[in-house]
Amino acid sequence: MNSPKDFSLSRRDFLRASGALIVSVSMTGLVTDALAQIGPNKPPLVPGELDSWVAVLKDGSVSAFFGKIDMGHCLDVAIAQIVAEELDVGFERVTVFQGDTATSCNQGGASGSFGISAGAKPLRNAAAEARRILVAGASRQLNVPAEQLTVSDGVVSGGGKRVSYAELIGGKFFNSKVEWNKEIGNFMDIKVQAKLKSPSEYKVVGKSFRRRDVPGKVFGTSDWITEISLPGMLHARVIRPVIAGSVPLKVDADSIRKIPGAKVVREKNFLAVVAPKEWDAVRAARELKVEWSAGTNPFPAMEKLYDHIRAAKVVKAETETNKGDVEAVFKTAARIVEAEYHWPFQSHASMGPGCAVADVKKDSATLWTGSQKPHYARDGIAKLLDLPPDKVRGIWVMGPGSYGRNDGGDAAIDAALLSKLTGKPVRVQGSRADATAWDPKGPASVHRARAALDGTGKVIAYEYISKGFSRIDTANNEADPRDSLAGHELGMAPNPAMGFGTPEDNYAFASRRLGWEAIAPLLNRSSPLRTAHLRDPVGPDIHFGSEQFIDELAVATGEDAVAFRLKYASKPRAAAAIKAAAEKAGWQTRVSGTAKSSGEIQSGRGISYTERRGTVVATIAEIEVNRRTGRIWAKKFTVAHDCGIIINPQGLTQCIEGNVIHGLSRTILEEVRFDNNSVTSVDWASYPIVEIKDAPETIDVVLINHPEIAPSGAGEPSIRSIPAAIANAFFDATGVRLRTAPLTPARVLAALAGAKA
Amino acid sequence: MATTVKFTVDGKSRSVKVDDPAMPLLYALRDDLQMKAPHFGCGVAQCGACTVLVDGEPVRSCVMPVTAMKGKQITTIHGLGTPEKPHPLQTAFVEEQVPQCGYCINGWVMTAASFLKKKPKASDAEIREALDGLKCRCGTHVSIMRAIKRAQQQMA
Ligand code: FES
Ligand code: FES
C-alpha cells in the first residue's frame, strides 16, 4: 500500500504532466472527519478550488459542500445522487453539507427553484473532475492506462488490479484548481477538464432515494433553528408597534422589574426585551409599558385597496413581451374581451415565527439562522456589525418552512444586533403576530387583460398588464441591514427596488404585449405591508388572472378550454403536458359552464397551463361548490409536470403536492387584513390557511421525464398553475367568474347571489 | 413566589420550579427540561405544533399552565416511540416521507396517535374531523392522510 506521501507525489507528477495548474501541493494532514475539512490545511474556501466542493474521507465516504439548502424538498438527496453518479460511488457514501459559510461557497441559498437547475451544476462538475483526477492517479499507481480503468463504488480497477478512492486520496485534499465563472449566488459554476456522463449512463440519478431528514423530524430528534441553545444565552423578543410607523417615545423599564432577569434593550427605535428564560422574555414583551408615537394612517381602507392600486402613480414599468402592433390590431377588432383580476397581500405565515441565534464577539460573530440564504445573512451581519465578512460565520439550521423572504430574515438581523448590544449570545423568536403581521408580504396587485377577436373568433391581439406593489421592495435576502425592520428602526435609509412580472409568453397570439407597472409602498419604512418574495414571487398572482382570461376567451369563442389552449400554446412540451393532464384526469370536452348541475353542490373542472423558467405544468382541478355555505372543496388535482430530467421521482412528486396545497390555500383563503393603521391578520384565526378538511382527496401527479433536457426546477413552478385551475373549475360549476382572490365563502356567496339577481 | 410542580414526562418523574404560575407547559418542557420536540407555532392554541399527551389526551401545551400539570402523565413524541421502537404512526410517517420542514409534524402525530387509540378504524371523514385545527404550512396534508391510513392497516 502506498503511503499518502507517495500518492501525493504521484498525483502531483500526474497533474503536472496533464497541465493542471497547481498552486500548492502541501503534504496535507490527515483529515479525520468531514468537518475537519474546514481545518487549517484546507485550500482557501473559494469556488476555484476543487476542495471547496468535494472531499473523499479516509473511509472512502464522500463529502459534498453545497452552498444552497434543502428545506424538506429532497434537494440534498438529489445533490448526493448527482455527486454519487459522476463520482461513481454508492449513494449512501455521499454526505451533503449545506448552508454553512464555513464549509460552502455562496451558491445563493434557497432561491428561485434553482436548487438543482443551477445549484447542482458546480457539484456535478466537481464530482466529475474528482473522478477524473482519481482515475488518473490510479492509472499511474496501477500502471494501467486510464482508458482501461473502470470505477465501481469508489474502487478503480483494470488490468487485474484495483485501488480505492480511500487509498488514493482518503482524508487529503485535491489541491486542484477549477475555473470559476466569477458568479456569486445562484449561477455560481465551475469549468473542469473532466467530461460529464451522459444521462443514458445514469444509474443513481432518476431513482427515488429516500430523504435523510425525515426520521429525525418524525421522532423529534432533529434540531430546528428553534432548538439551538448556547451557554449563557439570553432569550429575546423584539417589540414592534401595533400601529404601523409609530416609534417608541417612552419606555417604562420599571414595568418589567419583577420579571427575573428581564431587561429592556433599546437602540434608537429598535426596542426589545431579553431574559435568561424564554417565558420571562415573552412575559416581559407583553408587560412592558411603552408609549408610542401617533400613527399616520398610512394604509387605505381594505376594501379600497384595488382602487388605490389602480389610481397609484406608476414608479417603474416594463413591457417584457411586445410582438406586432397591438394598438393597431385592437382598432381592427370585430370584438374585444376584457377583464380585470385582483390578488391580495399574502403572508408567508410560516408554521413558526422566525428564529435566529447570534453570538457576537468583539471581532467575530456566529449566526445560526433559519432564513434561506445564510451566506447573504452573513454578509448582512458583517455590515451591521462592521466586521469583515470572513470574521462572521453564518450557519443555516432547518427552520419552520419558509418560502421566500419571511420573518426569519428579520430575526437574523435582530439576533445579531441584540447579541452586540447585550454582549451575550441571544436567541430571538417572534410571536405569532410577528410572523403573520410583520413578515414581508407578497404584493397585492391588479391585472388588466384584453384580447381582440376577428370576425371568425380568432384571437388576433392580446394584452396583459399587471400593476402592483414591488416584489422587491424588501430584497430577497438580508445581505444589507437596510432590508430589515431593525435596519429601519436604527434609522438606516430603506433600500427598495421596483419590480413585478408578467405571465410567461405562452400563447402564440399574432400580436401581444405583456408588461407590468410597479407602485410605491404605502409606508416606506418599518412597514408590516412591505413587500418581498413569497413562493413563486408574483407567479400565482399573475396567472390567477392570465389563465382565467384564457378560459374566458375559450368561452367567448365557444371552445373547450383544453382545445383552446392546444390551439394557441406554441411549444410542443406545453401541448404534451396539457394532453397528459387531460388524459389522466379524463377531461370531458365541452365549453366550460355549459353542464351546470342544479342542487346545493355543484361540480366543475378547470385547467390551467403555466411555465416557469423552462418548467411546464398543466393542472386540472375538480371542485365542488356548496351553494349554501359558499365553500369550495377542491376534491382532486391532476398535475402534469415537465421539468426536464427527473433526479428523484418521489421527492419531486411530494414537492409538487406541497405546491398544490400551498396554492390551494392561497387561492381560497389567504388575504392579509389591515385597517388604516395596522395589519390585523395576527394569527391563524385572522389569517386562515387550509385545514385537513380542505385538503383534496387525490393529487395525481403525472411526471414527464426528459432525460435529454437539463433540469429546470420544481420548488415553485406548479404553484402558479393552481389558482386559475380552481377559479376556472368554479366557473364551470356555477357559470360565475370570481376575479378577486381569495375565493372565500363570503365572496362565493356574494358572487352567486349577484349572478342570480 | 416560586413553586415546584412535579409530573411525569415520558415515564420519568420530573420537577420544575415555577416562578410565574401562568407559565405554559411548553416552556417548562422546552426551556427547563430541554425537551425540544413540541414546538412553538402560535402560542394561542391554533396550530397544534406544541401538542403533548396529558394522561393520554392531546393538549396544546402552549396554553396549558404548567401548574395544572401536578401529578399528570405527560407523553411527548419521544415517549410515543423511538427509532428502535417506533409507534406505527411514526413508522408510517417515515414510510410515506411525510414531513417537509417537519415543524408541524409533532402535532399531527400526537393528535392522530391519541385519536387512533380510541378509534382505530376511523373513516377518512372521521380522521379529517379529528385533525381539524392542526396546521401544516408546507401542505403535506395528502401524505399525512396516506400515512395515517398506512398506520391504521399496521395497527389492525
Ligand atoms: S403553538 Fe400551541 S397550538 Fe400553536
Ligand atoms: S411540514 Fe412544514 S409545516 Fe408541516
Side-chain angles (χ1 to χ4, degrees):
Chain A
M1 203 56 41
N2 287 353
S3 75
K5 193 174 160 206
D6 289 337
F7 170 62
S8 283
L9 288 170
S10 65
R11 182 166 62 88
R12 176 175 56 182
D13 292 346
F14 166 76
L15 290 171
R16 188 171 285 150
S18 70
L21 175 66
I22 307 170
V23 170
S24 96
V25 193
S26 58
M27 294 298 113
T28 56
L30 293 180
V31 178
T32 50
D33 72 335
L35 283 178
Q37 294 286 347
I38 64 179
N41 292 317
K42 181 163 177 164
L45 182 64
V46 291
E49 294 283 350
L50 182 56
D51 295 299
S52 298
W53 300 99
V54 63
V56 178
L57 307 194
K58 270 201 292 188
D59 63 358
S61 63
V62 172
S63 302
F65 305 108
F66 190 37
K68 290 187 162 293
I69 54 169
D70 170 60
M71 297 186 301
H73 286 133
C74 202
L75 174 58
D76 58 328
V77 170
I79 295 295
Q81 287 177 258
I82 288 165
V83 167
E85 188 71 77
E86 289 296 342
L87 202 46
D88 273 320
V89 298
F91 165 79
E92 290 74 19
R93 281 185 197 265
V94 182
T95 302
V96 178
F97 292 84
Q98 48 184 346
D100 182 343
T101 60
T103 59
S104 60
C105 300
N106 183 358
Q107 289 187 266
S111 175
S113 302
F114 284 120
I116 291 173
S117 63
K121 280 185 181 172
L123 275 304
R124 182 182 177 207
N125 288 330
E129 181 70 353
R131 181 189 189 278
R132 184 189 71 80
I133 290 170
L134 289 163
V135 168
S139 163
R140 265 200 93 74
Q141 188 168 325
L142 303 177
N143 216 357
V144 177
E147 312 79 67
Q148 292 171 24
L149 294 172
T150 57
V151 187
S152 173
D153 196 13
V155 177
V156 192
S157 44
K161 293 180 263 186
R162 52 196 280 146
V163 61
S164 71
Y165 284 176
E167 291 160 334
L168 286 165
I169 198 172
K172 291 177 286 122
F173 299 114
F174 288 98
N175 283 305
S176 180
K177 294 278 177 194
V178 291
E179 194 184 322
W180 171 35
N181 67 356
K182 300 291 183 257
E183 292 277 351
I184 290 175
N186 288 332
F187 303 109
M188 179 178 282
D189 198 4
I190 54 171
K191 214 153 111 191
V192 296
Q193 294 181 40
K195 192 170 155 281
L196 300 178
K197 280 190 186 173
S198 118
S200 60
E201 300 169 69
Y202 284 170
K203 296 189 205 78
V204 185
V205 166
K207 296 215 172 84
S208 289
F209 286 95
R210 321 200 86 198
R211 278 169 46 206
R212 291 155 169 184
D213 54 327
V214 165
K217 289 174 175 176
V218 171
F219 291 103
T221 51
S222 307
D223 279 343
W224 279 260
I225 180 65
T226 44
E227 274 70 73
I228 300 298
S229 181
L230 303 178
M233 182 179 86
L234 294 174
H235 288 275
R237 290 293 178 275
V238 181
I239 299 173
R240 306 230 134 96
V242 173
I243 303 294
S246 74
V247 298
L249 297 176
K250 242 201 241 151
V251 179
D252 175 12
D254 240 24
S255 57
I256 58 166
R257 189 172 37 91
K258 291 215 181 85
I259 300 173
K263 281 201 188 73
V264 174
V265 184
R266 183 172 173 189
E267 172 96 350
K268 298 181 181 154
N269 292 332
F270 176 85
L271 179 63
V273 288
V274 294
K277 289 192 66 181
E278 186 170 11
W279 175 247
D280 292 329
V282 174
R283 276 211 281 168
R286 286 184 191 167
E287 289 172 26
L288 184 70
K289 291 211 176 84
V290 183
E291 193 185 308
W292 297 92
S293 67
T296 56
N297 293 333
F299 306 144
M302 199 175 151
E303 60 282 4
K304 294 270 161 41
L305 173 63
Y306 300 118
D307 292 338
H308 170 89
I309 295 173
R310 272 187 219 103
K313 184 172 155 246
V314 174
V315 179
K316 186 174 176 191
E318 237 164 70
T319 301
E320 293 191 358
T321 299
N322 201 2
K323 300 247 162 68
D325 190 341
V326 172
E327 290 306 330
V329 176
F330 265 98
K331 290 198 183 106
T332 70
R335 191 176 160 199
I336 292 175
V337 180
E338 285 177 289
E340 189 183 272
Y341 306 89
H342 312 127
W343 191 268
F345 286 111
Q346 294 189 324
S347 170
H348 294 81
S350 292
M351 187 67 200
C355 179
V357 177
D359 189 7
V360 175
K361 302 269 192 327
K362 201 169 143 283
D363 46 16
S364 69
T366 308
L367 169 77
W368 290 262
T369 180
S371 62
Q372 299 188 167
K373 300 175 173 75
H375 294 79
Y376 288 124
R378 179 263 326 262
D379 296 347
I381 300 308
K383 261 184 221 150
L384 177 82
L385 302 172
D386 204 11
L387 288 172
D390 63 349
K391 294 288 178 215
V392 181
R393 181 172 176 190
I395 303 168
W396 170 79
V397 188
M398 182 75 225
S402 75
Y403 295 95
R405 167 59 168 87
N406 71 351
D407 54 322
D410 290 296
I413 305 283
D414 291 341
L417 179 59
L418 283 162
S419 179
K420 178 185 142 183
L421 295 174
T422 59
K424 297 254 174 62
V426 170
R427 172 189 185 275
V428 78
Q429 184 172 26
S431 65
R432 184 70 247 158
D434 290 327
T436 305
W438 279 99
D439 71 313
K441 302 296 184 289
S445 50
V446 167
H447 308 264
R448 308 188 299 267
R450 59 178 185 141
L453 311 183
D454 69 9
T456 67
K458 190 172 154 207
V459 180
I460 49 175
Y462 167 65
E463 184 180 62
Y464 195 88
I465 308 291
S466 299
K467 183 178 185 188
F469 297 97
S470 172
R471 61 190 271 184
I472 40 177
D473 178 51
T474 293
N476 73 351
N477 63 60
E478 50 277 9
D480 189 328
R482 291 182 298 162
D483 285 309
S484 71
L485 286 172
H488 296 184
E489 287 151 353
L490 292 177
M492 298 176 189
N495 181 36
M498 280 287 157
F500 205 82
T502 67
E504 291 276 327
D505 187 20
N506 285 343
Y507 295 100
F509 304 126
S511 292
R512 56 196 193 270
R513 177 160 61 210
L514 309 174
W516 56 261
E517 301 164 347
I519 64 172
L522 296 167
L523 169 67
N524 78 349
R525 63 166 57 217
S526 304
S527 174
L529 288 178
R530 69 204 185 286
T531 45
H533 278 182
L534 168 62
R535 195 183 206 171
D536 185 20
V538 300
D541 330 29
I542 291 170
H543 294 85
F544 169 69
S546 67
E547 275 299 296
Q548 272 204 81
F549 191 62
I550 294 298
D551 250 50
E552 300 207 39
L553 291 177
V555 172
T557 56
E559 291 197 63
D560 170 72
V562 165
F564 184 83
R565 283 178 174 75
L566 288 173
K567 193 156 132 190
Y568 291 103
S570 46
K571 299 163 211 162
R573 284 168 73 192
I578 293 168
K579 283 183 193 155
E583 191 175 310
K584 179 78 184 177
W587 179 264
Q588 291 179 359
T589 302
R590 62 170 180 260
V591 179
S592 289
T594 55
K596 298 193 294 273
S597 59
S598 53
E600 189 169 294
I601 306 287
Q602 289 184 301
S603 321
R605 88 288 185 261
I607 185 166
S608 159
Y609 143 64
T610 56
E611 278 191 47
R612 188 180 197 270
R613 293 189 181 132
T615 295
V616 180
V617 179
T619 294
I620 291 171
E622 293 167 58
I623 73 165
E624 287 180 1
V625 181
N626 185 318
R627 292 188 68 94
R628 186 175 50 82
T629 63
R631 176 170 181 254
I632 291 174
W633 183 34
K635 211 170 163 184
K636 182 177 171 194
F637 287 93
T638 307
V639 185
H641 192 280
D642 170 2
C643 56
I645 183 170
I646 295 170
I647 316 295
N648 184 311
Q650 185 178 1
L652 175 58
T653 301
Q654 288 188 283
C655 176
I656 294 166
E657 288 177 354
N659 269 283
V660 170
I661 304 236
H662 194 189
L664 167 67
S665 184
R666 289 172 68 181
T667 305
I668 64 169
L669 289 167
E670 296 187 30
E671 176 168 39
V672 172
R673 309 196 66 79
F674 55 89
D675 60 23
N676 289 146
N677 259 330
S678 54
V679 170
T680 54
S681 286
V682 292
D683 58 13
W684 295 118
S686 47
Y687 192 78
I689 62 168
V690 287
E691 304 262 341
I692 196 148
K693 63 179 192 302
D694 303 308
E697 251 169 23
T698 314
I699 301 176
D700 266 341
V701 177
V702 185
L703 297 181
I704 303 173
N705 191 16
H706 279 291
E708 75 289 1
I709 297 174
S712 52
E716 299 165 284
S718 46
I719 194 171
R720 62 172 52 183
S721 73
I722 304 303
I726 296 168
N728 289 337
F730 183 86
F731 176 81
D732 185 46
T734 63
V736 176
R737 275 284 157 202
L738 289 178
R739 298 192 183 89
T740 300
L743 318 184
T744 56
R747 273 208 186 99
V748 166
L749 289 176
L752 293 179
K756 242 188 276 170
Chain B
M1 255 307 93
T3 52
T4 299
V5 185
K6 290 194 175 142
F7 45 81
T8 321
V9 183
D10 299 332
K12 288 195 205 96
S13 36
R14 312 297 298 257
S15 74
V16 174
K17 260 224 189 97
V18 181
D19 178 66
D20 174 16
M23 179 172 86
L25 171 63
L26 178 66
Y27 295 88
L29 294 172
R30 288 184 57 89
D31 217 12
D32 295 287
L33 302 177
Q34 297 285 304
M35 307 198 61
K36 308 295 192 181
H39 284 139
F40 177 87
C42 67
V44 284
Q46 291 175 353
C47 77
C50 62
T51 305
V52 295
L53 304 183
V54 177
D55 295 341
E57 289 300 317
V59 160
R60 304 216 163 153
S61 67
C62 69
V63 291
M64 173 61 71
V66 62
T67 40
M69 290 299 100
K70 208 174 129 208
K72 302 278 186 195
Q73 308 254 358
I74 294 165
T75 309
T76 74
I77 203 165
H78 293 136
L80 192 70
T82 60
E84 296 71 40
K85 279 185 87 177
H87 185 279
L89 273 165
Q90 289 172 311
T91 307
F93 269 62
V94 172
E95 282 303 310
E96 294 291 344
Q97 303 270 288
V98 173
Q100 268 185 37
C101 80
Y103 199 80
C104 67
I105 291 301
N106 174 67
W108 294 96
V109 170
M110 298 307 284
T111 311
S114 149
F115 175 64
L116 287 189
K117 200 163 175 190
K118 284 179 225 153
K119 208 146 195 206
K121 297 212 166 67
S123 67
D124 272 29
E126 288 168 324
I127 296 168
R128 284 178 187 242
E129 191 61 43
L131 302 183
D132 189 38
L134 295 171
K135 303 291 186 294
C136 172
R137 190 53 168 149
C138 298
T140 66
H141 305 75
V142 284
S143 51
I144 289 171
M145 288 301 291
R146 281 196 293 263
I148 293 176
K149 284 189 249 177
R150 181 188 275 261
Q152 278 182 308
Q153 280 169 11
Q154 208 197 321
M155 290 160 87

